[in-house]
Amino acid sequence: MWIVVAVFAFLHWDFWLWDDTTLWFGFLPAGLAYHAFYSLAAGLLWWLFIRVAWPVHVERWARGEDGQGEGEP
């Protein structure tokens, strides 16, 4: 996961688009369109990280559950 975060950090510096004056979809400057898609991808990435690596055991501890079913509604 940390490697993916490092790759995303590198991709945030879109130095290859700094001099690009083309319009994407006919109205969006290349840099703005890139960052719009980058933001969507970053949001999806964090959602995936939460789904895969969320520390459920910490939440159980915070709710006072001991893992044996006690404290469940």
Side-chain angles (χ1 to χ4, degrees):
M1 287 178 18
W2 287 112
I3 292 171
V4 174
V5 170
V7 168
F8 259 73
F10 175 75
L11 290 175
H12 189 265
W13 299 314
D14 61 336
F15 56 86
W16 53 89
L17 290 175
W18 286 355
D19 296 327
D20 191 351
T21 59
T22 60
L23 296 177
W24 290 13
F25 308 112
F27 66 94
L28 274 175
L32 182 61
Y34 174 81
H35 278 281
F37 287 116
Y38 175 87
S39 296
L40 292 173
L44 289 173
L45 177 69
W46 287 121
W47 176 81
L48 178 66
F49 282 177
I50 289 170
R51 297 297 295 167
V52 170
W54 190 260
V56 175
H57 65 283
V58 174
E59 286 192 22
R60 288 184 185 136
W61 172 82
R63 287 192 302 251
E65 298 173 5
D66 62 1
Q68 298 176 356
E70 293 183 21
E72 293 182 8

